[in-house]
Amino acid sequence: MPSVRMSLFAGLIIGIAVSFWQLAAAQDPQRAVVVDTGQPFAPFAEKLRSAAIGNGMGIVAEACAHCGAKAVLDMEIPGNRVVMIFHPRYAVRLLEANVDAGIEAPLRLYLTERPDGTARLSYERPSRTFAGYGGKGLAELAAELDDVVDRIVRQAQRD
């Protein structure tokens, strides 16, 4: 099944690339929010997905570096997943405000497994993500998305 292996390999490469971007964000406290959840990695990943859907966002894609490492390389690495969320109602507004800002969608929530098996969540606030773009209504949309992401994170931590 070369096509399945290639898809998994592509997912691994995307996951690693996004991971490096997120690592840079995590090292800049002005750029990223970092939450040590104190919860086991796999159950928290499920809670995060459920919270995203429960707050009106769709799961656009997931990049799972540890899944790809296991499937393609037969290698075990700590849990590492990027959950990409967005919804068409926000995409339309985003593109109306500034089509160039569309490259920033979907929003990325980066989960890593800590040495103790718990999940760490890192993400860039949408207001920060879209700050470099102008456009009528973009700041308001970004603030609204900040609220949505905050609700998702609170719900995932609580449930």
Side-chain angles (χ1 to χ4, degrees), residues 35-107:
V35 179
D36 284 317
T37 68
Q39 298 182 39
F41 179 85
F44 185 80
E46 286 299 320
K47 290 180 189 183
L48 186 65
R49 282 193 287 279
S50 293
I53 292 166
N55 281 279
M57 295 297 267
I59 307 297
V60 175
E62 288 190 41
C64 180
H66 69 272
C67 301
K70 178 66 177 163
V72 176
L73 305 173
D74 196 29
M75 173 188 247
E76 294 285 339
I77 64 172
N80 185 296
R81 183 176 301 256
V82 181
V83 180
M84 292 162 261
I85 63 172
F86 222 67
H87 194 278
R89 72 178 165 279
Y90 296 120
V92 169
R93 290 171 56 198
L94 173 64
L95 296 174
E96 286 174 348
N98 186 320
V99 72
D100 293 333
I103 195 167
E104 304 295 350
L107 301 174

Side-chain angles (χ1 to χ4, degrees), residues 1-15 62-64 67-68 71-72:
M1 286 195 271
S3 63
V4 171
R5 282 190 172 257
M6 289 305 294
S7 295
L8 290 170
F9 183 70
L12 176 64
I13 296 302
I14 290 168
E62 288 190 41
C64 180
C67 301
V72 176

